[in-house]
Amino acid sequence: MLIQTRTARFLISNISEKQGVLLVQSDNKDEMERLFGSEEIKKVQGNPWPYEVSICKQELAHCLILLVKEIDYKEFRQLSDFI
C-alpha cells in the first residue's frame, strides 16, 4: 500500500516471515520519527525508500488514525472546483 502526504510517501508491505508484522518504508525521516518515534527506524542505503521500520498491524492502525485526524477537510472544497 502506498500513502502519500504533503511531506512524505510511505510504502507499507507485509513481512512474510513474521505474522502480523509490517514493513513501513518512507522517503522522509522526520515524518517516520513523528509517526513511529518509539520504534527503531533504520536507514537503508541505495534505496528509493531510505528509512524503514518494522511495526505490528495494530501500531500501524493507530498511526493511520493520526494521519486521518490531521487532514484539513477545508482543502477538499478547492479540489471540488476541478470536478
Side-chain angles (χ1 to χ4, degrees):
M1 173 172 47
L2 181 65
I3 297 175
Q4 184 169 341
T5 67
R6 283 186 172 177
T7 57
R9 294 180 307 149
F10 300 93
L11 178 64
I12 302 162
S13 54
N14 195 19
I15 300 176
S16 59
E17 64 268 4
K18 292 185 179 179
Q19 183 96 17
V21 177
L22 300 171
L23 180 66
V24 180
Q25 297 171 291
S26 181
D27 59 349
N28 188 308
K29 183 181 180 184
D30 293 335
E31 283 298 294
M32 287 287 278
E33 288 175 344
R34 185 177 73 83
L35 291 172
F36 308 108
S38 62
E39 303 295 328
E40 179 186 353
I41 298 168
K42 296 178 185 174
K43 177 144 173 81
V44 181
Q45 298 294 333
N47 188 333
W49 307 91
Y51 306 101
E52 65 180 38
V53 64
S54 296
I55 192 165
C56 73
K57 290 179 180 180
Q58 186 63 43
E59 271 304 306
L60 179 63
H62 291 299
C63 292
L64 292 175
I65 289 168
L66 176 65
L67 286 174
V68 170
K69 286 181 176 181
E70 292 176 346
I71 294 173
D72 182 1
Y73 291 95
K74 292 180 233 168
E75 293 179 7
F76 286 107
R77 272 190 253 136
Q78 295 169 350
L79 293 174
S80 66
D81 294 339
F82 295 105
I83 299 176

